[in-house]
Amino acid sequence: MNKYFDFEKPIEVIDDKIKVLESNNEDNNFDLIKKYNLEKKNLLKKIYSSLTSWQKVKISRHSNRPHTLDYVNNIFSNFVPLSGDKKFAEDKAIVGGLAKIDDLSVMIIGNEKGNSMEKRIEHNFGMAKPEGFRKAQRLLILAEKLKLPVVTLVDTAGAFPGKEAEERGQSESIASSIAQCLKVKTPIISIIIGEGGSGGAIALATADRILMLQNSIFSVISPEGCASILWRNTEAVQKAAKSLKLTAEDCLELNIIDGIVKEVPGGAHRYPKEQFVAVKKTIIENLEELIKLPVEKIVADRNEKFLNITLN
């Protein structure tokens, strides 16, 4: 993927100037580099303060955007991966396991897209099959037994649409995951870190607190799919993206999510370290609030929350 989006051309021009000055390695270039970096910072702030829905779709899919395992490796400690659904196979599109965040023990479940072509193929681009969702259910049940809160990290275009997945009960496995999320007796926090696509996302995003990174998306269908169905023209993606109300701001306004995790202007793909800090802080704050509540109230409030969403 190109390092720069089409709406970031002025940033590319400044970066090229900085590279030339840095390669010259002259002392009198320091002030000029500093000036260009300040100009770049202001430009990023301006560009990222007025992004369109389609531009946010592009950002949410950026190949350098941190994925689940990036957050696991930079936020959590003592991660113990757990594999398999005990019925069919291990699905690497969904990763999970036990871990600690500061002094809190948690169960982590998330979609993993992979950071290289080899890893993307290994993780099936984050698109889970039935065995992946059944693994998630198994980990939810285990978390309840161990009295551990659950943190889910959502980043998928959707569940895998292949023939073999349908033959093994894709729809049932998604529905069962949603049902398990609704009834499991432990707190659940879900953070949409990139794409939150269709049932594949909802299977992990049925939680007490649903949060979205500022430049992530959450939608029942991709803009491309929507455009091809409604307008029979995939070039109508920008119109579809706007109509779907898929941005974090849209979802918060519609009461689908509970909060937005800010991103540094320029996006999480440019500033992953800052994003790790922000996400960690958000997880800890929400966990500390939820674990103080009686588990019966947590489950009752969770069910009422999603009933209200469907009624609205």
Side-chain angles (χ1 to χ4, degrees):
M1 180 180 286
N2 196 322
K3 184 179 177 182
Y4 301 93
F5 295 110
D6 52 0
F7 53 88
E8 293 181 332
K9 289 298 180 185
I11 305 300
E12 185 176 7
V13 171
I14 292 175
D15 277 344
D16 287 342
K17 290 179 180 178
I18 292 172
K19 285 177 184 176
V20 170
L21 290 170
E22 287 177 339
S23 65
N24 291 338
N25 200 25
E26 296 178 9
D27 291 339
N28 59 351
N29 285 341
F30 178 78
D31 289 338
L32 196 53
I33 291 172
K34 187 176 178 180
K35 176 191 171 186
Y36 280 136
N37 276 320
L38 180 61
E39 186 179 342
K40 174 183 172 180
K41 182 179 178 180
N42 291 333
L43 257 176
L44 282 171
K45 189 174 181 180
K46 181 180 178 182
I47 291 169
Y48 275 73
S49 65
S50 57
L51 294 168
T52 66
S53 297
W54 177 239
Q55 287 169 342
K56 289 195 174 186
V57 171
K58 287 184 172 183
I59 296 168
S60 74
R61 296 171 174 173
H62 197 287
S63 59
N64 291 337
R65 195 171 175 85
H67 301 308
T68 291
L69 288 178
D70 296 315
Y71 285 97
V72 170
N73 293 330
N74 287 276
I75 291 177
F76 300 90
S77 61
N78 301 334
F79 178 59
V80 180
L82 300 173
S83 303
D85 66 344
K86 291 192 174 181
K87 290 183 178 180
F88 183 78
E90 159 68 347
D91 185 349
K92 292 187 177 181
I94 290 183
V95 297
L98 304 166
K100 298 194 77 171
I101 180 166
D102 283 356
D103 293 328
L104 290 169
S105 295
V106 297
M107 180 71 78
I108 305 170
I109 308 171
N111 310 102
E112 175 57 35
K113 285 184 172 180
N115 290 318
S116 65
M117 183 52 66
E118 182 182 3
K119 287 295 182 181
R120 287 179 195 121
I121 293 171
E122 179 184 340
H123 293 284
N124 200 33
F125 298 85
M127 297 185 293
K129 298 173 184 177
E131 48 270 26
F133 295 115
R134 291 179 184 131
K135 174 169 70 173
Q137 294 166 45
R138 183 172 75 82
L139 299 188
L140 286 166
I141 294 168
L142 180 59
E144 180 180 285
K145 287 181 179 178
L146 298 176
K147 294 182 168 45
L148 296 177
V150 177
V151 177
T152 71
L153 300 173
V154 179
D155 187 17
T156 180
F160 183 66
K163 178 175 176 285
E164 66 269 31
E166 295 297 333
E167 289 174 342
R168 293 199 295 274
Q170 186 71 293
S171 298
E172 181 277 331
S173 67
I174 292 172
S176 294
S177 290
I178 295 170
Q180 190 64 57
C181 285
L182 287 172
K183 68 183 180 182
V184 70
K185 294 179 180 178
T186 194
I188 307 176
I189 295 172
S190 181
I191 303 180
I192 298 167
I193 58 175
E195 286 187 276
S198 194
I202 298 172
L204 299 186
T206 304
D208 303 300
R209 301 280 171 85
I210 307 173
L211 308 163
M212 289 179 68
L213 266 60
Q214 190 174 3
N215 296 317
S216 61
I217 60 170
F218 195 19
S219 177
V220 69
I221 191 172
S222 69
E224 293 90 342
C226 176
S228 66
I229 292 171
L230 294 184
W231 293 284
R232 298 182 183 278
N233 182 0
T234 55
E235 293 182 2
V237 289
Q238 296 191 42
K239 183 178 180 181
K242 185 177 180 181
S243 301
L244 284 168
K245 303 289 184 184
L246 44 61
T247 69
E249 290 79 7
D250 291 330
C251 291
L252 184 63
E253 186 178 343
L254 293 168
N255 294 319
I256 292 170
I257 65 168
D258 303 291
I260 298 173
V261 183
K262 295 290 185 182
E263 295 186 35
V264 177
H269 59 283
R270 272 196 179 86
Y271 304 103
K273 291 181 180 178
E274 290 84 349
Q275 203 59 56
F276 296 143
V277 172
V279 170
K280 181 177 182 179
K281 181 182 177 184
T282 299
I283 290 172
I284 291 172
E285 287 175 352
N286 281 274
L287 279 179
E288 287 178 342
E289 289 177 14
L290 286 170
I291 59 180
K292 293 176 183 176
L293 301 174
V295 69
E296 293 77 13
K297 176 173 173 55
I298 290 173
V299 175
D301 288 350
R302 187 189 307 148
N303 280 266
E304 183 180 356
K305 169 194 180 77
F306 282 90
L307 180 62
N308 288 336
I309 289 176
T310 58
L311 290 174
N312 290 335

